[in-house]
Amino acid sequence: MSIPNIITLGRIMLVPIIVWAIVSSQMEVAFAVFLIAGISDAVDGFLAKRFNMTSELGALLDPLADKALLVSIYMALGIWGAIPRWIVILVVSRDIMIVAAVIVSWLFDRPVEMKPSKVSKLNTVAQVAFAALVLAALAFGFKPAPYDIILMGLVTIFTLSSVSLYLVEWLRHMSTIEAK
């Protein structure tokens, strides 16, 4: 167990706290914990790369922590009514499709290597920025317009683009399976 992995596990443990804060209308707490989670993501990545502390466990845990955080926040904000439900459905559906594709590839004994594309990284940045803006606006009582609309548009474009690219790549990978 390396320090970056412990930090990542800590980030995963912050998820229920953020969700609780959102559903309890404790937006200042939600925003502060979200910032802590973001900083911890940067710190664990820095430590892993800078001090050669990367591991297979870390390679699995880090994206899991990111997805657990973002999916949970989007769902909580959608249920709370702070963001449109269609964007929640879009973000969550993308992750479900990708996870389902990975599981199917494992079931067919054709594991697919999941490397985040540039579009996927941009998608994550847009999702984080949109969630941070919404949480900050709720915490500090300001109107996020027009930045919320711009970020929501970017989340939509990058989410649709990234899931399309992943699924095309997955279909190429899986098309080599021979019928029995």
Side-chain angles (χ1 to χ4, degrees), residues 1-16 36-48 53-69:
M1 232 0 183
S2 67
I3 293 171
N5 289 348
I6 292 168
I7 293 170
T8 301
L9 288 172
R11 190 163 70 254
I12 292 170
M13 292 189 310
L14 292 176
V15 170
I36 292 167
I39 292 166
S40 76
D41 189 22
V43 169
D44 74 46
F46 171 78
L47 291 174
M53 300 170 96
T54 58
S55 67
E56 284 185 45
L57 179 61
L60 293 172
L61 281 180
D62 192 63
L64 174 69
D66 294 343
K67 288 302 144 198
L69 182 67

PDB file of all heavy atoms in Angstrom, residues 1-16 36-48 53-69:
ATOM      1  N   MET A   1       0.838  -1.176   0.000  1.00  0.00           N
ATOM      2  CA  MET A   1       0.000   0.000   0.000  1.00  0.00           C
ATOM      3  C   MET A   1       0.884   1.241   0.000  1.00  0.00           C
ATOM      4  O   MET A   1       1.561   1.521   0.982  1.00  0.00           O
ATOM      5  CB  MET A   1      -0.828  -0.033   1.267  1.00  0.00           C
ATOM      6  CG  MET A   1      -2.308   0.121   1.172  1.00  0.00           C
ATOM      7  SD  MET A   1      -3.066   0.329  -0.399  1.00  0.00           S
ATOM      8  CE  MET A   1      -4.677   0.527   0.164  1.00  0.00           C
ATOM      9  N   SER A   2       0.854   1.971  -1.078  1.00  0.00           N
ATOM     10  CA  SER A   2       1.672   3.174  -1.197  1.00  0.00           C
ATOM     11  C   SER A   2       0.887   4.398  -0.704  1.00  0.00           C
ATOM     12  O   SER A   2      -0.341   4.360  -0.567  1.00  0.00           O
ATOM     13  CB  SER A   2       2.094   3.373  -2.649  1.00  0.00           C
ATOM     14  OG  SER A   2       0.960   3.660  -3.439  1.00  0.00           O
ATOM     15  N   ILE A   3       1.592   5.483  -0.486  1.00  0.00           N
ATOM     16  CA  ILE A   3       0.955   6.729  -0.039  1.00  0.00           C
ATOM     17  C   ILE A   3      -0.075   7.211  -1.066  1.00  0.00           C
ATOM     18  O   ILE A   3      -1.194   7.578  -0.678  1.00  0.00           O
ATOM     19  CB  ILE A   3       2.018   7.806   0.274  1.00  0.00           C
ATOM     20  CG1 ILE A   3       2.827   7.375   1.498  1.00  0.00           C
ATOM     21  CG2 ILE A   3       1.368   9.168   0.498  1.00  0.00           C
ATOM     22  CD1 ILE A   3       4.035   8.238   1.777  1.00  0.00           C
ATOM     23  N   PRO A   4       0.244   7.219  -2.394  1.00  0.00           N
ATOM     24  CA  PRO A   4      -0.778   7.637  -3.357  1.00  0.00           C
ATOM     25  C   PRO A   4      -2.044   6.780  -3.292  1.00  0.00           C
ATOM     26  O   PRO A   4      -3.159   7.304  -3.410  1.00  0.00           O
ATOM     27  CB  PRO A   4      -0.085   7.497  -4.716  1.00  0.00           C
ATOM     28  CG  PRO A   4       1.364   7.654  -4.404  1.00  0.00           C
ATOM     29  CD  PRO A   4       1.547   7.014  -3.055  1.00  0.00           C
ATOM     30  N   ASN A   5      -1.890   5.465  -3.074  1.00  0.00           N
ATOM     31  CA  ASN A   5      -3.071   4.603  -2.981  1.00  0.00           C
ATOM     32  C   ASN A   5      -3.896   4.910  -1.734  1.00  0.00           C
ATOM     33  O   ASN A   5      -5.124   4.876  -1.770  1.00  0.00           O
ATOM     34  CB  ASN A   5      -2.666   3.128  -2.997  1.00  0.00           C
ATOM     35  CG  ASN A   5      -2.166   2.684  -4.350  1.00  0.00           C
ATOM     36  OD1 ASN A   5      -2.315   3.384  -5.350  1.00  0.00           O
ATOM     37  ND2 ASN A   5      -1.545   1.525  -4.398  1.00  0.00           N
ATOM     38  N   ILE A   6      -3.231   5.218  -0.642  1.00  0.00           N
ATOM     39  CA  ILE A   6      -3.937   5.583   0.589  1.00  0.00           C
ATOM     40  C   ILE A   6      -4.707   6.895   0.382  1.00  0.00           C
ATOM     41  O   ILE A   6      -5.857   7.021   0.799  1.00  0.00           O
ATOM     42  CB  ILE A   6      -2.953   5.684   1.777  1.00  0.00           C
ATOM     43  CG1 ILE A   6      -2.413   4.285   2.107  1.00  0.00           C
ATOM     44  CG2 ILE A   6      -3.622   6.315   2.990  1.00  0.00           C
ATOM     45  CD1 ILE A   6      -1.230   4.279   3.071  1.00  0.00           C
ATOM     46  N   ILE A   7      -4.075   7.844  -0.306  1.00  0.00           N
ATOM     47  CA  ILE A   7      -4.745   9.115  -0.608  1.00  0.00           C
ATOM     48  C   ILE A   7      -5.961   8.865  -1.493  1.00  0.00           C
ATOM     49  O   ILE A   7      -7.036   9.444  -1.276  1.00  0.00           O
ATOM     50  CB  ILE A   7      -3.765  10.112  -1.263  1.00  0.00           C
ATOM     51  CG1 ILE A   7      -2.685  10.515  -0.248  1.00  0.00           C
ATOM     52  CG2 ILE A   7      -4.505  11.345  -1.791  1.00  0.00           C
ATOM     53  CD1 ILE A   7      -1.531  11.299  -0.846  1.00  0.00           C
ATOM     54  N   THR A   8      -5.813   7.994  -2.483  1.00  0.00           N
ATOM     55  CA  THR A   8      -6.928   7.676  -3.380  1.00  0.00           C
ATOM     56  C   THR A   8      -8.068   7.022  -2.607  1.00  0.00           C
ATOM     57  O   THR A   8      -9.241   7.348  -2.824  1.00  0.00           O
ATOM     58  CB  THR A   8      -6.458   6.769  -4.534  1.00  0.00           C
ATOM     59  OG1 THR A   8      -5.422   7.444  -5.247  1.00  0.00           O
ATOM     60  CG2 THR A   8      -7.593   6.440  -5.481  1.00  0.00           C
ATOM     61  N   LEU A   9      -7.749   6.097  -1.713  1.00  0.00           N
ATOM     62  CA  LEU A   9      -8.786   5.483  -0.881  1.00  0.00           C
ATOM     63  C   LEU A   9      -9.481   6.538  -0.016  1.00  0.00           C
ATOM     64  O   LEU A   9     -10.705   6.489   0.177  1.00  0.00           O
ATOM     65  CB  LEU A   9      -8.193   4.377  -0.007  1.00  0.00           C
ATOM     66  CG  LEU A   9      -7.802   3.097  -0.744  1.00  0.00           C
ATOM     67  CD1 LEU A   9      -7.036   2.156   0.188  1.00  0.00           C
ATOM     68  CD2 LEU A   9      -9.038   2.405  -1.315  1.00  0.00           C
ATOM     69  N   GLY A  10      -8.718   7.493   0.471  1.00  0.00           N
ATOM     70  CA  GLY A  10      -9.309   8.595   1.227  1.00  0.00           C
ATOM     71  C   GLY A  10     -10.286   9.390   0.375  1.00  0.00           C
ATOM     72  O   GLY A  10     -11.356   9.803   0.854  1.00  0.00           O
ATOM     73  N   ARG A  11      -9.931   9.610  -0.890  1.00  0.00           N
ATOM     74  CA  ARG A  11     -10.824  10.324  -1.816  1.00  0.00           C
ATOM     75  C   ARG A  11     -12.119   9.550  -2.014  1.00  0.00           C
ATOM     76  O   ARG A  11     -13.207  10.135  -2.033  1.00  0.00           O
ATOM     77  CB  ARG A  11     -10.120  10.585  -3.147  1.00  0.00           C
ATOM     78  CG  ARG A  11     -10.895  11.518  -4.042  1.00  0.00           C
ATOM     79  CD  ARG A  11     -10.076  12.101  -5.162  1.00  0.00           C
ATOM     80  NE  ARG A  11      -9.708  11.148  -6.181  1.00  0.00           N
ATOM     81  CZ  ARG A  11      -8.503  10.641  -6.358  1.00  0.00           C
ATOM     82  NH1 ARG A  11      -7.513  10.989  -5.559  1.00  0.00           N
ATOM     83  NH2 ARG A  11      -8.255   9.796  -7.325  1.00  0.00           N
ATOM     84  N   ILE A  12     -12.019   8.236  -2.126  1.00  0.00           N
ATOM     85  CA  ILE A  12     -13.222   7.410  -2.261  1.00  0.00           C
ATOM     86  C   ILE A  12     -14.097   7.554  -1.015  1.00  0.00           C
ATOM     87  O   ILE A  12     -15.323   7.633  -1.109  1.00  0.00           O
ATOM     88  CB  ILE A  12     -12.845   5.935  -2.524  1.00  0.00           C
ATOM     89  CG1 ILE A  12     -12.214   5.799  -3.919  1.00  0.00           C
ATOM     90  CG2 ILE A  12     -14.057   5.021  -2.393  1.00  0.00           C
ATOM     91  CD1 ILE A  12     -11.590   4.442  -4.203  1.00  0.00           C
ATOM     92  N   MET A  13     -13.473   7.634   0.150  1.00  0.00           N
ATOM     93  CA  MET A  13     -14.234   7.766   1.397  1.00  0.00           C
ATOM     94  C   MET A  13     -14.875   9.151   1.546  1.00  0.00           C
ATOM     95  O   MET A  13     -15.793   9.330   2.339  1.00  0.00           O
ATOM     96  CB  MET A  13     -13.349   7.435   2.594  1.00  0.00           C
ATOM     97  CG  MET A  13     -12.964   5.963   2.621  1.00  0.00           C
ATOM     98  SD  MET A  13     -12.128   5.375   4.102  1.00  0.00           S
ATOM     99  CE  MET A  13     -10.826   6.537   4.352  1.00  0.00           C
ATOM    100  N   LEU A  14     -14.418  10.132   0.775  1.00  0.00           N
ATOM    101  CA  LEU A  14     -15.032  11.457   0.803  1.00  0.00           C
ATOM    102  C   LEU A  14     -16.354  11.508   0.036  1.00  0.00           C
ATOM    103  O   LEU A  14     -17.177  12.404   0.275  1.00  0.00           O
ATOM    104  CB  LEU A  14     -14.075  12.504   0.221  1.00  0.00           C
ATOM    105  CG  LEU A  14     -12.815  12.815   1.026  1.00  0.00           C
ATOM    106  CD1 LEU A  14     -11.937  13.805   0.265  1.00  0.00           C
ATOM    107  CD2 LEU A  14     -13.159  13.335   2.410  1.00  0.00           C
ATOM    108  N   VAL A  15     -16.564  10.548  -0.857  1.00  0.00           N
ATOM    109  CA  VAL A  15     -17.761  10.557  -1.709  1.00  0.00           C
ATOM    110  C   VAL A  15     -19.053  10.600  -0.885  1.00  0.00           C
ATOM    111  O   VAL A  15     -19.900  11.464  -1.119  1.00  0.00           O
ATOM    112  CB  VAL A  15     -17.749   9.379  -2.711  1.00  0.00           C
ATOM    113  CG1 VAL A  15     -19.085   9.248  -3.424  1.00  0.00           C
ATOM    114  CG2 VAL A  15     -16.610   9.559  -3.717  1.00  0.00           C
ATOM    115  N   PRO A  16     -19.240   9.687   0.083  1.00  0.00           N
ATOM    116  CA  PRO A  16     -20.506   9.761   0.833  1.00  0.00           C
ATOM    117  C   PRO A  16     -20.658  11.058   1.634  1.00  0.00           C
ATOM    118  O   PRO A  16     -21.776  11.532   1.837  1.00  0.00           O
ATOM    119  CB  PRO A  16     -20.479   8.549   1.757  1.00  0.00           C
ATOM    120  CG  PRO A  16     -19.153   7.917   1.617  1.00  0.00           C
ATOM    121  CD  PRO A  16     -18.445   8.537   0.457  1.00  0.00           C
ATOM    122  N   ILE A  36     -11.160  19.461  -1.433  1.00  0.00           N
ATOM    123  CA  ILE A  36     -10.200  18.544  -0.807  1.00  0.00           C
ATOM    124  C   ILE A  36      -9.993  17.317  -1.694  1.00  0.00           C
ATOM    125  O   ILE A  36      -8.855  16.881  -1.900  1.00  0.00           O
ATOM    126  CB  ILE A  36     -10.669  18.144   0.608  1.00  0.00           C
ATOM    127  CG1 ILE A  36     -10.605  19.355   1.534  1.00  0.00           C
ATOM    128  CG2 ILE A  36      -9.842  16.981   1.153  1.00  0.00           C
ATOM    129  CD1 ILE A  36     -11.332  19.167   2.857  1.00  0.00           C
ATOM    130  N   ALA A  37     -11.092  16.784  -2.225  1.00  0.00           N
ATOM    131  CA  ALA A  37     -10.990  15.623  -3.111  1.00  0.00           C
ATOM    132  C   ALA A  37     -10.171  15.957  -4.356  1.00  0.00           C
ATOM    133  O   ALA A  37      -9.333  15.165  -4.792  1.00  0.00           O
ATOM    134  CB  ALA A  37     -12.385  15.127  -3.504  1.00  0.00           C
ATOM    135  N   GLY A  38     -10.396  17.139  -4.922  1.00  0.00           N
ATOM    136  CA  GLY A  38      -9.637  17.555  -6.099  1.00  0.00           C
ATOM    137  C   GLY A  38      -8.161  17.720  -5.818  1.00  0.00           C
ATOM    138  O   GLY A  38      -7.307  17.292  -6.599  1.00  0.00           O
ATOM    139  N   ILE A  39      -7.860  18.322  -4.689  1.00  0.00           N
ATOM    140  CA  ILE A  39      -6.454  18.497  -4.298  1.00  0.00           C
ATOM    141  C   ILE A  39      -5.810  17.144  -4.054  1.00  0.00           C
ATOM    142  O   ILE A  39      -4.668  16.895  -4.472  1.00  0.00           O
ATOM    143  CB  ILE A  39      -6.344  19.421  -3.069  1.00  0.00           C
ATOM    144  CG1 ILE A  39      -6.759  20.844  -3.453  1.00  0.00           C
ATOM    145  CG2 ILE A  39      -4.943  19.391  -2.484  1.00  0.00           C
ATOM    146  CD1 ILE A  39      -7.003  21.769  -2.272  1.00  0.00           C
ATOM    147  N   SER A  40      -6.538  16.237  -3.405  1.00  0.00           N
ATOM    148  CA  SER A  40      -5.975  14.904  -3.142  1.00  0.00           C
ATOM    149  C   SER A  40      -5.696  14.154  -4.438  1.00  0.00           C
ATOM    150  O   SER A  40      -4.718  13.409  -4.527  1.00  0.00           O
ATOM    151  CB  SER A  40      -6.902  14.084  -2.237  1.00  0.00           C
ATOM    152  OG  SER A  40      -8.018  13.588  -2.947  1.00  0.00           O
ATOM    153  N   ASP A  41      -6.537  14.369  -5.452  1.00  0.00           N
ATOM    154  CA  ASP A  41      -6.312  13.736  -6.758  1.00  0.00           C
ATOM    155  C   ASP A  41      -5.008  14.234  -7.366  1.00  0.00           C
ATOM    156  O   ASP A  41      -4.202  13.448  -7.872  1.00  0.00           O
ATOM    157  CB  ASP A  41      -7.496  14.025  -7.688  1.00  0.00           C
ATOM    158  CG  ASP A  41      -7.441  13.218  -8.972  1.00  0.00           C
ATOM    159  OD1 ASP A  41      -6.780  12.161  -9.015  1.00  0.00           O
ATOM    160  OD2 ASP A  41      -8.089  13.641  -9.958  1.00  0.00           O
ATOM    161  N   ALA A  42      -4.783  15.538  -7.282  1.00  0.00           N
ATOM    162  CA  ALA A  42      -3.541  16.102  -7.817  1.00  0.00           C
ATOM    163  C   ALA A  42      -2.330  15.615  -7.026  1.00  0.00           C
ATOM    164  O   ALA A  42      -1.292  15.270  -7.605  1.00  0.00           O
ATOM    165  CB  ALA A  42      -3.620  17.624  -7.795  1.00  0.00           C
ATOM    166  N   VAL A  43      -2.460  15.558  -5.706  1.00  0.00           N
ATOM    167  CA  VAL A  43      -1.342  15.141  -4.855  1.00  0.00           C
ATOM    168  C   VAL A  43      -0.989  13.680  -5.101  1.00  0.00           C
ATOM    169  O   VAL A  43       0.191  13.343  -5.263  1.00  0.00           O
ATOM    170  CB  VAL A  43      -1.664  15.385  -3.354  1.00  0.00           C
ATOM    171  CG1 VAL A  43      -0.646  14.714  -2.458  1.00  0.00           C
ATOM    172  CG2 VAL A  43      -1.723  16.883  -3.073  1.00  0.00           C
ATOM    173  N   ASP A  44      -2.000  12.791  -5.151  1.00  0.00           N
ATOM    174  CA  ASP A  44      -1.657  11.375  -5.349  1.00  0.00           C
ATOM    175  C   ASP A  44      -1.037  11.144  -6.727  1.00  0.00           C
ATOM    176  O   ASP A  44      -0.105  10.361  -6.867  1.00  0.00           O
ATOM    177  CB  ASP A  44      -2.822  10.431  -5.051  1.00  0.00           C
ATOM    178  CG  ASP A  44      -3.914  10.408  -6.087  1.00  0.00           C
ATOM    179  OD1 ASP A  44      -3.646  10.330  -7.292  1.00  0.00           O
ATOM    180  OD2 ASP A  44      -5.091  10.414  -5.683  1.00  0.00           O
ATOM    181  N   GLY A  45      -1.518  11.869  -7.728  1.00  0.00           N
ATOM    182  CA  GLY A  45      -0.919  11.741  -9.059  1.00  0.00           C
ATOM    183  C   GLY A  45       0.512  12.238  -9.094  1.00  0.00           C
ATOM    184  O   GLY A  45       1.396  11.611  -9.687  1.00  0.00           O
ATOM    185  N   PHE A  46       0.744  13.381  -8.446  1.00  0.00           N
ATOM    186  CA  PHE A  46       2.092  13.941  -8.376  1.00  0.00           C
ATOM    187  C   PHE A  46       3.041  12.978  -7.670  1.00  0.00           C
ATOM    188  O   PHE A  46       4.136  12.689  -8.169  1.00  0.00           O
ATOM    189  CB  PHE A  46       2.077  15.295  -7.663  1.00  0.00           C
ATOM    190  CG  PHE A  46       3.446  15.825  -7.360  1.00  0.00           C
ATOM    191  CD1 PHE A  46       4.205  16.422  -8.355  1.00  0.00           C
ATOM    192  CD2 PHE A  46       3.987  15.712  -6.084  1.00  0.00           C
ATOM    193  CE1 PHE A  46       5.480  16.902  -8.091  1.00  0.00           C
ATOM    194  CE2 PHE A  46       5.258  16.195  -5.803  1.00  0.00           C
ATOM    195  CZ  PHE A  46       6.005  16.795  -6.803  1.00  0.00           C
ATOM    196  N   LEU A  47       2.633  12.477  -6.502  1.00  0.00           N
ATOM    197  CA  LEU A  47       3.492  11.571  -5.739  1.00  0.00           C
ATOM    198  C   LEU A  47       3.792  10.293  -6.514  1.00  0.00           C
ATOM    199  O   LEU A  47       4.937   9.819  -6.531  1.00  0.00           O
ATOM    200  CB  LEU A  47       2.843  11.216  -4.395  1.00  0.00           C
ATOM    201  CG  LEU A  47       2.750  12.341  -3.368  1.00  0.00           C
ATOM    202  CD1 LEU A  47       1.966  11.878  -2.148  1.00  0.00           C
ATOM    203  CD2 LEU A  47       4.136  12.821  -2.965  1.00  0.00           C
ATOM    204  N   ALA A  48       2.765   9.749  -7.154  1.00  0.00           N
ATOM    205  CA  ALA A  48       2.942   8.497  -7.888  1.00  0.00           C
ATOM    206  C   ALA A  48       3.950   8.670  -9.029  1.00  0.00           C
ATOM    207  O   ALA A  48       4.827   7.820  -9.213  1.00  0.00           O
ATOM    208  CB  ALA A  48       1.597   8.006  -8.423  1.00  0.00           C
ATOM    209  N   MET A  53       5.931   5.872  -7.620  1.00  0.00           N
ATOM    210  CA  MET A  53       5.088   5.085  -6.724  1.00  0.00           C
ATOM    211  C   MET A  53       3.841   4.577  -7.437  1.00  0.00           C
ATOM    212  O   MET A  53       2.829   4.298  -6.805  1.00  0.00           O
ATOM    213  CB  MET A  53       4.691   5.919  -5.497  1.00  0.00           C
ATOM    214  CG  MET A  53       5.872   6.400  -4.684  1.00  0.00           C
ATOM    215  SD  MET A  53       5.379   7.596  -3.426  1.00  0.00           S
ATOM    216  CE  MET A  53       5.214   6.524  -2.026  1.00  0.00           C
ATOM    217  N   THR A  54       3.927   4.473  -8.761  1.00  0.00           N
ATOM    218  CA  THR A  54       2.780   3.968  -9.507  1.00  0.00           C
ATOM    219  C   THR A  54       2.622   2.476  -9.236  1.00  0.00           C
ATOM    220  O   THR A  54       3.594   1.776  -8.943  1.00  0.00           O
ATOM    221  CB  THR A  54       2.938   4.213 -11.023  1.00  0.00           C
ATOM    222  OG1 THR A  54       4.141   3.587 -11.462  1.00  0.00           O
ATOM    223  CG2 THR A  54       2.985   5.696 -11.341  1.00  0.00           C
ATOM    224  N   SER A  55       1.393   2.002  -9.343  1.00  0.00           N
ATOM    225  CA  SER A  55       1.122   0.590  -9.116  1.00  0.00           C
ATOM    226  C   SER A  55      -0.109   0.186  -9.920  1.00  0.00           C
ATOM    227  O   SER A  55      -0.887   1.041 -10.357  1.00  0.00           O
ATOM    228  CB  SER A  55       0.876   0.309  -7.628  1.00  0.00           C
ATOM    229  OG  SER A  55      -0.322   0.933  -7.206  1.00  0.00           O
ATOM    230  N   GLU A  56      -0.280  -1.127 -10.093  1.00  0.00           N
ATOM    231  CA  GLU A  56      -1.479  -1.620 -10.778  1.00  0.00           C
ATOM    232  C   GLU A  56      -2.723  -1.261  -9.983  1.00  0.00           C
ATOM    233  O   GLU A  56      -3.745  -0.885 -10.555  1.00  0.00           O
ATOM    234  CB  GLU A  56      -1.402  -3.141 -10.970  1.00  0.00           C
ATOM    235  CG  GLU A  56      -0.465  -3.553 -12.083  1.00  0.00           C
ATOM    236  CD  GLU A  56      -0.502  -5.053 -12.324  1.00  0.00           C
ATOM    237  OE1 GLU A  56      -1.611  -5.621 -12.377  1.00  0.00           O
ATOM    238  OE2 GLU A  56       0.578  -5.641 -12.443  1.00  0.00           O
ATOM    239  N   LEU A  57      -2.635  -1.383  -8.661  1.00  0.00           N
ATOM    240  CA  LEU A  57      -3.769  -1.021  -7.810  1.00  0.00           C
ATOM    241  C   LEU A  57      -4.116   0.455  -7.986  1.00  0.00           C
ATOM    242  O   LEU A  57      -5.289   0.804  -8.142  1.00  0.00           O
ATOM    243  CB  LEU A  57      -3.453  -1.326  -6.339  1.00  0.00           C
ATOM    244  CG  LEU A  57      -4.551  -0.965  -5.339  1.00  0.00           C
ATOM    245  CD1 LEU A  57      -5.832  -1.747  -5.630  1.00  0.00           C
ATOM    246  CD2 LEU A  57      -4.068  -1.209  -3.919  1.00  0.00           C
ATOM    247  N   GLY A  58      -3.120   1.300  -7.995  1.00  0.00           N
ATOM    248  CA  GLY A  58      -3.354   2.725  -8.196  1.00  0.00           C
ATOM    249  C   GLY A  58      -3.962   3.029  -9.555  1.00  0.00           C
ATOM    250  O   GLY A  58      -4.826   3.902  -9.669  1.00  0.00           O
ATOM    251  N   ALA A  59      -3.515   2.300 -10.573  1.00  0.00           N
ATOM    252  CA  ALA A  59      -4.054   2.498 -11.919  1.00  0.00           C
ATOM    253  C   ALA A  59      -5.536   2.137 -11.980  1.00  0.00           C
ATOM    254  O   ALA A  59      -6.276   2.670 -12.810  1.00  0.00           O
ATOM    255  CB  ALA A  59      -3.267   1.676 -12.932  1.00  0.00           C
ATOM    256  N   LEU A  60      -5.979   1.237 -11.110  1.00  0.00           N
ATOM    257  CA  LEU A  60      -7.401   0.877 -11.044  1.00  0.00           C
ATOM    258  C   LEU A  60      -8.169   1.799 -10.092  1.00  0.00           C
ATOM    259  O   LEU A  60      -9.280   2.219 -10.400  1.00  0.00           O
ATOM    260  CB  LEU A  60      -7.565  -0.575 -10.578  1.00  0.00           C
ATOM    261  CG  LEU A  60      -7.074  -1.653 -11.526  1.00  0.00           C
ATOM    262  CD1 LEU A  60      -7.125  -3.014 -10.848  1.00  0.00           C
ATOM    263  CD2 LEU A  60      -7.908  -1.660 -12.799  1.00  0.00           C
ATOM    264  N   LEU A  61      -7.565   2.099  -8.951  1.00  0.00           N
ATOM    265  CA  LEU A  61      -8.258   2.894  -7.933  1.00  0.00           C
ATOM    266  C   LEU A  61      -8.477   4.347  -8.346  1.00  0.00           C
ATOM    267  O   LEU A  61      -9.533   4.914  -8.057  1.00  0.00           O
ATOM    268  CB  LEU A  61      -7.472   2.877  -6.620  1.00  0.00           C
ATOM    269  CG  LEU A  61      -7.586   1.659  -5.737  1.00  0.00           C
ATOM    270  CD1 LEU A  61      -6.733   1.834  -4.482  1.00  0.00           C
ATOM    271  CD2 LEU A  61      -9.021   1.376  -5.356  1.00  0.00           C
ATOM    272  N   ASP A  62      -7.492   4.968  -8.983  1.00  0.00           N
ATOM    273  CA  ASP A  62      -7.597   6.388  -9.296  1.00  0.00           C
ATOM    274  C   ASP A  62      -8.793   6.709 -10.199  1.00  0.00           C
ATOM    275  O   ASP A  62      -9.612   7.565  -9.847  1.00  0.00           O
ATOM    276  CB  ASP A  62      -6.295   6.920  -9.891  1.00  0.00           C
ATOM    277  CG  ASP A  62      -6.294   8.428  -9.956  1.00  0.00           C
ATOM    278  OD1 ASP A  62      -6.362   9.068  -8.882  1.00  0.00           O
ATOM    279  OD2 ASP A  62      -6.253   8.967 -11.069  1.00  0.00           O
ATOM    280  N   PRO A  63      -8.948   6.020 -11.341  1.00  0.00           N
ATOM    281  CA  PRO A  63     -10.131   6.326 -12.147  1.00  0.00           C
ATOM    282  C   PRO A  63     -11.435   5.922 -11.458  1.00  0.00           C
ATOM    283  O   PRO A  63     -12.466   6.574 -11.641  1.00  0.00           O
ATOM    284  CB  PRO A  63      -9.926   5.552 -13.448  1.00  0.00           C
ATOM    285  CG  PRO A  63      -8.810   4.617 -13.206  1.00  0.00           C
ATOM    286  CD  PRO A  63      -8.048   5.103 -12.020  1.00  0.00           C
ATOM    287  N   LEU A  64     -11.386   4.865 -10.641  1.00  0.00           N
ATOM    288  CA  LEU A  64     -12.572   4.468  -9.885  1.00  0.00           C
ATOM    289  C   LEU A  64     -12.973   5.587  -8.917  1.00  0.00           C
ATOM    290  O   LEU A  64     -14.155   5.935  -8.808  1.00  0.00           O
ATOM    291  CB  LEU A  64     -12.311   3.165  -9.123  1.00  0.00           C
ATOM    292  CG  LEU A  64     -13.412   2.706  -8.190  1.00  0.00           C
ATOM    293  CD1 LEU A  64     -14.632   2.270  -8.991  1.00  0.00           C
ATOM    294  CD2 LEU A  64     -12.922   1.570  -7.313  1.00  0.00           C
ATOM    295  N   ALA A  65     -12.005   6.157  -8.238  1.00  0.00           N
ATOM    296  CA  ALA A  65     -12.279   7.256  -7.308  1.00  0.00           C
ATOM    297  C   ALA A  65     -12.852   8.464  -8.049  1.00  0.00           C
ATOM    298  O   ALA A  65     -13.826   9.078  -7.597  1.00  0.00           O
ATOM    299  CB  ALA A  65     -11.002   7.651  -6.562  1.00  0.00           C
ATOM    300  N   ASP A  66     -12.266   8.788  -9.189  1.00  0.00           N
ATOM    301  CA  ASP A  66     -12.754   9.920  -9.981  1.00  0.00           C
ATOM    302  C   ASP A  66     -14.196   9.705 -10.415  1.00  0.00           C
ATOM    303  O   ASP A  66     -15.038  10.595 -10.307  1.00  0.00           O
ATOM    304  CB  ASP A  66     -11.874  10.146 -11.212  1.00  0.00           C
ATOM    305  CG  ASP A  66     -10.466  10.588 -10.859  1.00  0.00           C
ATOM    306  OD1 ASP A  66     -10.237  11.022  -9.715  1.00  0.00           O
ATOM    307  OD2 ASP A  66      -9.584  10.490 -11.741  1.00  0.00           O
ATOM    308  N   LYS A  67     -14.479   8.513 -10.930  1.00  0.00           N
ATOM    309  CA  LYS A  67     -15.828   8.214 -11.420  1.00  0.00           C
ATOM    310  C   LYS A  67     -16.826   8.161 -10.279  1.00  0.00           C
ATOM    311  O   LYS A  67     -17.944   8.662 -10.407  1.00  0.00           O
ATOM    312  CB  LYS A  67     -15.851   6.908 -12.222  1.00  0.00           C
ATOM    313  CG  LYS A  67     -15.185   7.031 -13.571  1.00  0.00           C
ATOM    314  CD  LYS A  67     -15.860   8.121 -14.375  1.00  0.00           C
ATOM    315  CE  LYS A  67     -14.897   8.884 -15.230  1.00  0.00           C
ATOM    316  NZ  LYS A  67     -15.383  10.175 -15.690  1.00  0.00           N
ATOM    317  N   ALA A  68     -16.443   7.544  -9.157  1.00  0.00           N
ATOM    318  CA  ALA A  68     -17.353   7.484  -8.010  1.00  0.00           C
ATOM    319  C   ALA A  68     -17.702   8.898  -7.551  1.00  0.00           C
ATOM    320  O   ALA A  68     -18.871   9.209  -7.270  1.00  0.00           O
ATOM    321  CB  ALA A  68     -16.721   6.687  -6.869  1.00  0.00           C
ATOM    322  N   LEU A  69     -16.706   9.761  -7.507  1.00  0.00           N
ATOM    323  CA  LEU A  69     -16.918  11.141  -7.083  1.00  0.00           C
ATOM    324  C   LEU A  69     -17.832  11.883  -8.048  1.00  0.00           C
ATOM    325  O   LEU A  69     -18.845  12.463  -7.644  1.00  0.00           O
ATOM    326  CB  LEU A  69     -15.566  11.856  -6.958  1.00  0.00           C
ATOM    327  CG  LEU A  69     -15.605  13.297  -6.486  1.00  0.00           C
ATOM    328  CD1 LEU A  69     -16.068  13.378  -5.038  1.00  0.00           C
ATOM    329  CD2 LEU A  69     -14.221  13.927  -6.630  1.00  0.00           C
TER     330      LEU A  69
END
